[in-house]
Amino acid sequence: MPDITDNVQTTATKAPRVVTKKQAQAILHCSRNYVEQLAAQGRIRYWRPSARHNLYSLDDIEALLATPFNATVQ
């Protein structure tokens, strides 16, 4: 009997790491408006699970913090 387990593809779906707006404010030490500005500029991704709440990507926030503020200045 042939072994078919070698042909099975396992793809694990990973849920994105997300935080609420208040948590994003606490991590970034900024205002609610600045968090919304970053999302509008596309610097951090966000999801809108309901009409009242946004969830923000923790990976994008960490990447934003890892980049120096004046990284583009030569």
Side-chain angles (χ1 to χ4, degrees), residues 18-33 35-36 44 52-56 58 61:
V18 294
V19 294
T20 63
K21 190 180 297 183
K22 272 201 181 296
Q23 291 168 332
Q25 284 177 248
I27 294 168
L28 293 170
H29 301 286
C30 66
S31 68
R32 174 183 55 88
N33 289 337
V35 172
E36 292 172 355
I44 57 175
R52 297 182 121 192
H53 300 285
N54 288 349
L55 296 175
Y56 298 91
L58 186 57
I61 292 171

Side-chain angles (χ1 to χ4, degrees), residues 1-5 7:
M1 182 168 187
D3 185 17
I4 61 169
T5 58
N7 297 332

Side-chain angles (χ1 to χ4, degrees), residues 34-54:
Y34 187 65
V35 172
E36 292 172 355
Q37 242 181 1
L38 290 172
Q41 292 171 356
R43 294 179 68 188
I44 57 175
R45 288 176 290 173
Y46 69 97
W47 293 268
R48 194 170 179 97
S50 69
R52 297 182 121 192
H53 300 285
N54 288 349

